[in-house]
Amino acid sequence: MDIQDTNTFGDEDLVKKVQHQNDMYAFEILVKRYQNKVYNICFRFMGDAHEAFDCAQDTFIKIYRGIRSFRHQSHFGTWVYRIAVNTCKNRLMSWEYRRTKKTGHLGEVPGELKGDSISPADEFAKVRIQERVQEAINMLPFDQKQVIILRDIQQLSYEEIEKITGLPSGTVKSKIARGRNKLKETLKDLKNEM
Amino acid sequence: MKCKQIQEILPEYLEGVVSEKQKKKIQQHLETCRDCSEHLRLLKKTINLVGNLPEVCAPAGFVSGVMEKIQEKHARKSRIGLWLAGIAFAEVVILFTNTSSQHPYQKEIAKQIDHRPAQQIQQKKEKLETKEEKGTTIAYREKYKQPLASANRPALDLTGIGEKRKTEIVIQLAAYKVSEVASSEKRKNANEPMPEEEKPVAKDEIQPFARSETAKSMVGSESMKAPVSASAIKQEKFSIDSDIKRQISSINGKILSEQETSDTEIRRVITAEIPGSSYANLIENLREKFQIRNLTSLKDMDVSDTQITIKIEIFR
């Protein structure tokens, strides 16, 4: 059975192939499956296409290095997100990044955007709003940023967020609430567009 | 509940994670409070804005880039592994070489010591002991410990060095050769008869058991059968003995003893000490005049620096 032709191989099967047979093809399938999710998380964290690219690449390299230590006690996707979040966190906290601190601007082409085909004017207005939202996210403290991204962008459950962040349930909820309130305050000048 | 408290838990209310009691209170408050209702509306819009952010896809070639990077790192790791393996192997080889061979200075000193006489080794030991007494560093002692130990190996026998070797040789001489007889000054006794049992021999032919010079000189003559006088025999013996002794003296030999024997075949034994370097000359001279019946073999022996004791046995 060709693993590329079908989706019959779940993440766990592919991970086992990599773990036991060092199957690079199986790992490539996993990269293909998670590349957009990981890149999107990285982009929302970093607010910059180049930084997102580097972080996403580092994330998959770390996944490959550590895949033999993955014990299948959680979903593979949860493990991938956790590595992605930690990679971005390390990068954001790094001296090098803070020295050349960048604010996210969607003016740079961030890979490929998914969206409906609309008029150029509407497209411009939409992009402008998206830029403002991303800037607002960038201004959040990291602990609020991570739960907002995981909950409101990645649409993950509270349980998954707890596993990824390692925070207790109540903390996650409170940080989500604070983060949302802060975003509302930041974006209140967009109330006409809302 | 006050507006501030309501607004704080509105995000959770939107999530549906508040209790039924809280939910009813919030709903009752929102019906009467326009600010909190507006706050809820903006909050919903904010969540929608964030939630509606487009998914940014990885750029083309991202997967191949990741895989290349992994392969590259994997190859680098393999190279590092090979380097480490190579270094480890080199260390093992160096270690093995060091343990299986001496240090060059050790080899050199051991070589020198192996070829120097015992006296020099003793002097070196004394020198080392003197230096130790004077507080020489341990390193100095360690430097010479190994070579000195190797000098005491059983294979290295230096006890005989400095003394000349001694070899004992036995030469059995019969009598003068016939050719010598002819030219001898003692030809004046030629008229004396030979014993009857003596047979004539051709000139230059070796006569193994010739009894006397006189008898040989009578070869072919009719007077052979004439009896040999006692004085002639005595003079002949004296002539032989003195000739041998003269030859020994001529090569700086030293007569150690000289004695008559009662043996039926050997008349006299002369023991002498001669230098090994002159041994060949002596034998050559003896061969010219006497018939050598037996000679201890010195074949393949280097006797040049040897003091030889020769034992010349003269037949009757």
Side-chain angles (χ1 to χ4, degrees):
Chain A
M1 190 181 288
D2 187 353
I3 60 175
Q4 196 178 21
D5 291 342
T6 69
N7 289 321
T8 54
F9 281 94
D11 290 352
E12 311 305 314
D13 297 326
L14 294 170
V15 169
K16 283 176 184 173
K17 277 181 173 291
V18 179
Q19 285 177 327
H20 300 135
Q21 301 163 26
N22 196 28
D23 191 338
M24 295 303 288
Y25 194 63
F27 186 76
E28 193 175 339
I29 301 299
L30 288 169
V31 175
K32 281 178 182 171
R33 279 187 191 177
Y34 283 93
Q35 61 171 332
N36 290 337
K37 288 176 182 173
V38 168
Y39 186 84
N40 192 47
I41 285 179
C42 292
F43 182 81
R44 296 303 170 197
F45 266 105
M46 307 307 295
D48 178 83
H50 296 296
E51 290 286 348
F53 185 92
D54 290 344
C55 285
Q57 202 170 55
D58 285 351
T59 299
F60 283 110
I61 290 168
K62 285 177 185 173
I63 288 167
Y64 178 75
R65 281 185 193 161
I67 200 163
R68 280 164 191 80
S69 63
F70 179 65
R71 296 283 171 252
H72 301 273
Q73 289 171 352
S74 62
H75 191 263
F76 178 70
T78 306
W79 188 62
V80 170
Y81 288 139
R82 188 162 69 218
I83 292 172
V85 169
N86 287 332
T87 303
C88 293
K89 183 181 178 182
N90 292 338
R91 178 63 183 159
L92 288 168
M93 300 297 175
S94 71
W95 178 84
E96 187 187 353
Y97 179 80
R98 282 184 292 172
R99 189 169 61 88
T100 57
K101 194 173 182 180
K102 298 170 184 177
T103 53
H105 290 287
L106 289 176
E108 300 173 56
V109 181
E112 295 172 18
L113 288 170
K114 280 183 180 176
D116 300 328
S117 56
I118 52 176
S119 67
D122 289 345
E123 177 68 27
F124 178 78
K126 192 176 180 181
V127 169
R128 177 109 177 90
I129 291 169
Q130 287 170 354
E131 282 181 2
R132 286 295 315 279
V133 173
Q134 181 64 53
E135 285 172 11
I137 292 171
N138 293 344
M139 291 168 69
L140 289 173
F142 181 81
D143 55 347
Q144 292 176 18
K145 189 194 286 187
Q146 66 175 344
V147 292
I148 291 292
I149 290 171
L150 293 173
R151 177 64 187 163
D152 293 338
I153 296 176
Q154 297 299 126
Q155 310 289 330
L156 299 178
S157 68
Y158 281 95
E159 191 182 352
E160 284 178 304
I161 294 168
E162 287 166 23
K163 285 181 180 176
I164 291 166
T165 59
L167 297 171
S169 175
T171 308
V172 171
K173 287 173 184 173
S174 66
K175 287 187 183 300
I176 288 173
R178 287 176 195 170
R180 282 173 176 173
N181 279 334
K182 195 167 277 186
L183 284 174
K184 183 186 77 68
E185 290 300 315
T186 310
L187 300 171
K188 63 185 177 188
D189 60 320
L190 291 177
K191 61 184 178 183
N192 294 330
E193 285 87 6
M194 286 183 179
Chain B
M1 290 176 84
K2 293 180 181 178
C3 288
K4 192 177 180 184
Q5 290 174 318
I6 294 290
Q7 288 175 12
E8 278 181 358
I9 60 169
L10 276 179
E12 293 173 22
Y13 169 77
L14 285 174
E15 286 293 302
V17 292
V18 292
S19 64
E20 284 296 317
K21 190 180 175 183
Q22 280 183 321
K23 191 178 177 181
K24 281 182 182 176
K25 282 185 179 178
I26 292 167
Q27 285 174 344
Q28 286 173 356
H29 181 83
L30 288 172
E31 286 172 3
T32 56
C33 183
R34 286 191 63 188
D35 286 348
C36 287
S37 295
E38 178 65 11
H39 187 93
L40 180 65
R41 192 188 68 85
L42 291 174
L43 196 60
K44 282 181 181 175
K45 280 285 182 183
T46 304
I47 293 168
N48 285 336
L49 279 174
V50 174
N52 287 333
L53 282 173
E55 186 183 14
V56 184
C57 297
F62 176 80
V63 175
S64 59
V66 168
M67 297 309 290
E68 278 175 21
K69 201 110 178 176
I70 287 171
Q71 296 283 4
E72 190 181 303
K73 285 184 183 285
H74 192 69
R76 194 184 304 162
K77 195 177 175 184
S78 301
R79 282 200 299 274
I80 291 168
L82 280 173
W83 267 98
L84 290 174
I87 290 166
F89 178 74
E91 282 180 356
V92 168
V93 169
I94 290 166
L95 191 68
F96 179 76
T97 311
N98 284 342
T99 51
S100 64
S101 65
Q102 286 180 312
H103 193 274
Y105 87 81
Q106 288 179 322
K107 280 183 178 177
E108 186 59 35
I109 292 173
K111 196 177 170 184
Q112 289 172 7
I113 288 175
D114 284 351
H115 288 89
R116 64 187 174 179
Q119 192 181 0
Q120 286 184 24
I121 292 175
Q122 186 59 34
Q123 285 173 357
K124 190 73 186 177
K125 282 181 180 175
E126 286 169 3
K127 191 178 174 183
L128 279 173
E129 283 165 7
T130 310
K131 282 183 178 292
E132 283 174 15
E133 285 168 9
K134 288 178 181 175
T136 310
T137 59
I138 295 170
Y140 186 89
R141 292 198 296 273
E142 290 298 320
K143 185 179 178 183
Y144 287 99
K145 194 192 285 180
Q146 179 75 15
L148 283 173
S150 68
N152 294 328
R153 286 177 302 190
L156 188 66
D157 182 14
L158 300 170
T159 51
I161 292 179
E163 296 175 18
K164 284 197 171 183
R165 288 179 295 169
K166 290 180 179 177
T167 306
E168 192 173 289
I169 293 171
V170 177
I171 303 171
Q172 291 181 332
L173 294 179
Y176 285 117
K177 283 182 178 177
V178 175
S179 57
E180 184 62 24
V181 174
S183 60
S184 175
E185 291 179 355
K186 300 175 183 71
R187 229 172 285 159
K188 44 189 147 181
N189 298 319
N191 291 329
E192 290 184 19
M194 282 184 69
E196 285 184 10
E197 62 268 25
E198 284 289 341
K199 292 180 180 177
V201 291
K203 194 180 178 183
D204 295 336
E205 185 183 344
I206 294 171
Q207 200 174 11
F209 296 101
R211 292 285 173 89
S212 70
E213 180 189 16
T214 311
K216 288 168 195 157
S217 66
M218 298 299 290
V219 172
S221 70
E222 290 188 353
S223 61
M224 280 177 66
K225 292 178 182 177
V228 179
S229 68
S231 62
I233 293 171
K234 191 178 178 181
Q235 190 180 354
E236 181 198 345
K237 288 176 181 176
F238 178 78
S239 176
I240 292 171
D241 296 348
S242 61
D243 207 356
I244 290 170
K245 284 189 277 185
R246 192 168 54 248
Q247 296 225 15
I248 289 169
S249 299
S250 68
I251 58 164
N252 298 323
K254 183 183 173 184
I255 305 293
L256 299 176
S257 66
E258 188 180 355
Q259 61 184 36
E260 292 287 331
T261 67
S262 58
D263 190 86
T264 53
E265 288 190 332
I266 296 169
R267 171 177 61 82
R268 180 175 276 264
V269 176
I270 300 171
T271 309
E273 196 175 68
I274 61 165
S277 55
S278 305
Y279 171 76
N281 290 335
L282 176 67
I283 298 298
E284 195 178 343
N285 293 338
L286 289 175
R287 277 188 198 283
E288 284 179 1
K289 291 186 177 181
F290 304 98
Q291 182 198 354
I292 297 175
R293 289 188 61 192
N294 198 4
L295 179 66
T296 305
S297 175
L298 287 177
K299 193 178 180 184
D300 298 332
M301 281 180 68
D302 181 12
V303 293
S304 58
D305 61 343
T306 306
Q307 197 71 9
I308 302 175
T309 301
I310 55 170
K311 193 174 175 183
I312 301 173
E313 296 173 348
I314 305 167
F315 278 75
R316 291 185 186 278

